Amino acid sequence: MTPSTRYDRLVVVKEREKDVAKESYEQAKKKATEKLEQLYSLLKQKEVLEEGRRHELTKGISIDKMRHTQVFFEQLETGIAHVQKEVQQAQAQLHLREQNFQTQFREVKKFEKLRERSVTVERSERHRKENLLLDELATQSFMQRGTW
């Protein structure tokens, strides 16, 4: 097995690992985006609720309606806190997977470089051997002619 063949196989393996890491990163990115959108939706809902509550307070509102609104507001706050934790976890996971993808990408580049160097060394060695063979043939031809 020539060195370049060995590196070819390693590059293929590393490419697969990089592709898996990229897919994992893309999934984490999608999940983080979904969680951020969910958080945005809850925060927007909270903003609308607060605006409605201010408007109702200026008009006058029953105590039961105020209690109901307050309970809903507290549930919304709890939901927001929960989703914020999920967003933080999703972002942390995204960061880890991004680092893994970058590491795999560097690994692929490293093995591609090794393969290129191996091919260059093989080519140089082949060229050197060809030159030696040509020199040997020239020497034999010269010796056969017998002219010194």
Side-chain angles (χ1 to χ4, degrees):
M1 176 188 305
T2 63
S4 65
T5 306
R6 178 182 46 179
Y7 287 120
D8 287 343
R9 291 179 182 171
L10 285 171
V11 167
V12 168
V13 169
K14 291 298 181 181
E15 279 284 345
R16 276 194 222 122
E17 290 174 0
K18 182 193 79 162
D19 292 343
V20 168
K22 183 178 181 181
E23 181 64 29
S24 177
Y25 166 73
E26 292 297 330
Q27 288 173 352
K29 186 174 164 182
K30 182 179 177 184
K31 183 177 180 181
T33 302
E34 289 171 357
K35 291 298 176 184
L36 284 168
E37 288 172 353
Q38 186 179 5
L39 180 62
Y40 174 80
S41 174
L42 289 173
L43 290 171
K44 189 70 174 168
Q45 192 176 8
K46 177 184 172 186
E47 183 181 313
V48 168
L49 181 65
E50 286 175 340
E51 184 63 35
R53 187 165 51 166
R54 270 189 238 114
H55 179 67
E56 287 178 349
L57 286 174
T58 58
K59 283 182 13 179
I61 165 176
S62 71
I63 303 243
D64 285 339
K65 176 90 170 154
M66 193 181 294
R67 281 187 194 146
H68 177 70
T69 303
Q70 184 61 32
V71 168
F72 183 71
F73 190 76
E74 288 170 359
Q75 290 173 346
L76 190 58
E77 285 287 331
T78 303
I80 289 171
H82 178 71
V83 172
Q84 281 176 329
K85 287 179 185 177
E86 289 178 345
V87 165
Q88 288 173 346
Q89 290 170 350
Q91 287 176 333
Q93 193 64 238
L94 175 63
H95 181 69
L96 287 173
R97 291 182 181 184
E98 181 181 29
Q99 286 179 332
N100 183 36
F101 173 59
Q102 289 172 348
T103 300
Q104 293 299 330
F105 185 79
R106 283 190 295 273
E107 284 288 313
V108 168
K109 291 298 178 189
K110 179 172 69 174
F111 280 100
E112 285 175 346
K113 199 64 142 169
L114 286 170
R115 178 178 59 187
E116 288 172 19
R117 286 183 190 153
S118 173
V119 167
T120 303
V121 166
E122 285 176 26
R123 223 178 272 139
S124 296
E125 185 61 25
R126 194 173 337 120
H127 186 67
R128 187 186 67 76
K129 286 179 181 179
E130 287 173 0
N131 284 341
L132 284 174
L133 182 61
L134 288 174
D135 287 348
E136 182 65 30
L137 289 173
T139 303
Q140 286 177 3
S141 174
F142 183 74
M143 295 298 266
Q144 287 176 353
R145 282 191 222 144
T147 41
W148 266 101

